[in-house]
Amino acid sequence: MRCPNQLFLTNQYFGLALPNTWPYYSTTLKLTTTTRRISKISNSWPPGSGHKCLVVDDREDRLGERWMEFQGINNWDGLLDPLDSDLREEILRYGEFIEAAYDCFDFDTSSATYATCRYPKGTMLTHCGLGQSGYKVVKSLHATCNVQMPRWIERIPNLMLPQSSWIGYVAVCDDVDEIARLGRRDIVIAYRGTATCSEWLENLRATLTCVPGDMTPYENNEPMVQSGFLSMYTSKIEGHSSLQDTISEEITSILNTYSNESLSITITGHSLGAALAILTAYDITTKFNNLPMVTVLSFGGPRVGNKRFRCQLDKNGIKVLRIVNSDDPITRVPGFVIDDMASRGDATMARLPSWLEKYMEDTQWVYAEVGKELKLSSKDLISKLNVATCHDLKTYLHLVNNFVRETKEIYKQC
């Protein structure tokens, strides 16, 4: 019998540590042959997945001229329903960077290198099929779990619980032609989802906790975030700096190196990685002045913080696009949301009395949704729905690739 850790890790792309109840890319998810129009980007889909990339140049000028629109300068108004074809390609392109984070991670619990990156920085993207992306990896990222382990865990033989695990990377676009195509030099921070039992236990620490002082502007009124996510972002052990400190040092270096250039910072992640992406954006926009445009592309992300946290995200100018499968329950946890649509101006929902809302917020279980949502649905594409299938990153990328518009729930097979 495999240990619980191995059971959780059968499929790399679930993001949260969930049992694998279906064969990878089983017949329940009938993928049709899809042609993707990506300029200068090589195909990173595994053989047999049915995805192809053709190198074309017809969108090159449009992307360079409209990149700020696609990064959310206007909150993606008019681009999501129907989904703009150029924005679609940008979303898929950033999704491939997350795939690379999964592909680089050593999932083998019997390996001496378990929970580390399988490849050196210089060849990491090449091994993952992104060698022609125009980006180079400049920093590997590690996250540390600080959760107290249950005593029964110690009685399970051969169960490895690394405190610090490789969780993603920072990449900088360094190809002259790609910079010209994109219209700026792009910085990507990419995070994978949950992959170890320690991280899974951190996910369960779902109560809200106050953001520490070094991440909070003086005038802010107690923004709160999920305890486990914050712990993974700020914890450190001997030999490994915290994810927070590593990101801060790397952003400082990048800003100094490319101070005279047009830049963008795109932070992307799946599941746990999506939550860390939002925390990262919040942190750097609080600490650094005169940052370039900061955009978060979140795939299947859980909730992260309360309403005050969301308000500060908006004040910091962070643009968040949440790609959500309406059939994925992970996007509706942890906690619950009170009257969130009403707070955004939806008059069809009655607000709770302020005293009751304040009382419930004090329970540390009331979260708020952030950013703009691109809502997808897998009902018409998957004959038998389950949590694993709906949450899989590849399912998300397939849905984005075939999505037309939300209002009529139509899906176009390319």
Side-chain angles (χ1 to χ4, degrees), residues 242-313:
S242 68
L243 179 57
Q244 179 185 30
D245 290 343
T246 305
I247 289 291
S248 182
E249 291 171 7
E250 195 58 36
I251 292 296
T252 300
S253 174
I254 287 170
L255 294 180
N256 290 336
T257 303
Y258 306 110
S259 59
N260 297 321
E261 297 188 33
S262 176
L263 298 176
S264 65
I265 298 177
T266 309
I267 313 174
T268 189
H270 171 240
S271 194
L272 167 64
L276 293 176
I278 290 174
L279 276 178
T280 300
Y282 176 91
D283 186 33
I284 65 174
T285 54
T286 299
K287 287 181 178 174
F288 291 90
N289 296 320
N290 303 317
L291 274 178
M293 190 170 183
V294 176
T295 301
V296 175
L297 293 181
S298 157
F299 293 82
R303 296 167 183 152
V304 179
N306 67 355
K307 191 182 298 183
R308 291 187 289 271
F309 176 75
R310 181 184 69 197
C311 289
Q312 190 59 47
L313 278 175

Side-chain angles (χ1 to χ4, degrees), residues 105-126:
F105 186 79
D106 188 348
F107 283 87
D108 185 0
T109 55
S110 64
S111 169
T113 58
Y114 170 58
T116 65
C117 183
R118 298 193 295 150
Y119 311 114
K121 275 191 315 185
T123 60
M124 186 185 301
L125 294 182
T126 299

Side-chain angles (χ1 to χ4, degrees), residues 124-404:
M124 186 185 301
L125 294 182
T126 299
H127 279 99
C128 299
L130 292 177
Q132 315 243 339
S133 65
Y135 288 72
K136 69 174 180 180
V137 175
V138 296
K139 195 70 175 180
S140 285
L141 302 174
H142 293 78
T144 297
C145 297
N146 200 28
V147 66
Q148 185 69 35
M149 296 297 172
R151 291 185 178 180
W152 58 265
I153 289 282
E154 300 174 0
R155 296 196 292 269
I156 301 178
N158 302 319
L159 181 59
M160 297 181 64
L161 295 170
Q163 264 195 286
S164 187
S165 302
W166 186 88
I167 200 162
Y169 58 91
V170 181
V172 176
C173 185
D174 71 337
D175 180 79
V176 174
D177 291 338
E178 185 66 359
I179 292 171
R181 187 182 77 86
L182 296 176
R184 84 284 187 192
R185 186 187 295 272
D186 186 38
I187 315 301
V188 170
I189 302 174
Y191 294 119
R192 61 164 175 79
T194 310
T196 71
C197 277
S198 301
E199 292 167 1
W200 179 73
L201 291 172
E202 289 282 22
N203 289 336
L204 296 180
R205 297 172 63 190
T207 55
L208 289 161
T209 188
C210 289
V211 172
D214 64 338
M215 293 175 63
T216 307
Y218 177 76
E219 70 278 4
N220 198 274
N221 182 24
E222 294 185 351
M224 302 179 77
V225 296
Q226 196 257 25
S227 301
F229 301 155
L230 181 63
S231 174
M232 289 192 64
Y233 186 67
T234 59
S235 296
K236 55 186 170 184
I237 57 174
E238 185 176 355
H240 283 293
S241 300
S242 68
L243 179 57
Q244 179 185 30
D245 290 343
T246 305
I247 289 291
S248 182
E249 291 171 7
E250 195 58 36
I251 292 296
T252 300
S253 174
I254 287 170
L255 294 180
N256 290 336
T257 303
Y258 306 110
S259 59
N260 297 321
E261 297 188 33
S262 176
L263 298 176
S264 65
I265 298 177
T266 309
I267 313 174
T268 189
H270 171 240
S271 194
L272 167 64
L276 293 176
I278 290 174
L279 276 178
T280 300
Y282 176 91
D283 186 33
I284 65 174
T285 54
T286 299
K287 287 181 178 174
F288 291 90
N289 296 320
N290 303 317
L291 274 178
M293 190 170 183
V294 176
T295 301
V296 175
L297 293 181
S298 157
F299 293 82
R303 296 167 183 152
V304 179
N306 67 355
K307 191 182 298 183
R308 291 187 289 271
F309 176 75
R310 181 184 69 197
C311 289
Q312 190 59 47
L313 278 175
D314 294 339
K315 287 181 182 178
N316 288 4
I318 301 165
K319 304 302 179 182
V320 180
L321 180 59
R322 296 171 50 247
I323 297 100
V324 172
N325 178 4
S326 60
D327 306 305
D328 178 6
I330 303 306
T331 62
R332 299 191 293 275
V333 296
F336 54 93
V337 174
I338 296 177
D339 201 21
D340 196 59
M341 292 303 294
S343 68
R344 296 186 177 207
D346 188 343
T348 63
M349 292 185 65
R351 293 187 61 87
L352 291 175
S354 58
W355 65 269
L356 179 56
E357 187 170 333
K358 177 65 168 61
Y359 173 80
M360 297 185 72
E361 286 179 355
D362 289 342
T363 65
Q364 299 183 330
W365 282 98
V366 179
Y367 284 73
E369 307 290 8
V370 302
K372 196 70 173 277
E373 184 178 276
L374 173 60
K375 184 176 289 187
L376 312 171
S377 175
S378 53
K379 285 181 179 177
D380 295 338
L381 298 178
I382 305 173
S383 59
K384 185 177 180 181
L385 296 175
N386 59 64
V387 173
T389 309
C390 294
H391 189 60
D392 185 10
L393 174 61
K394 286 190 178 295
T395 298
Y396 270 86
L397 295 180
H398 180 70
L399 292 175
V400 170
N401 204 27
N402 292 276
F403 179 74
V404 176

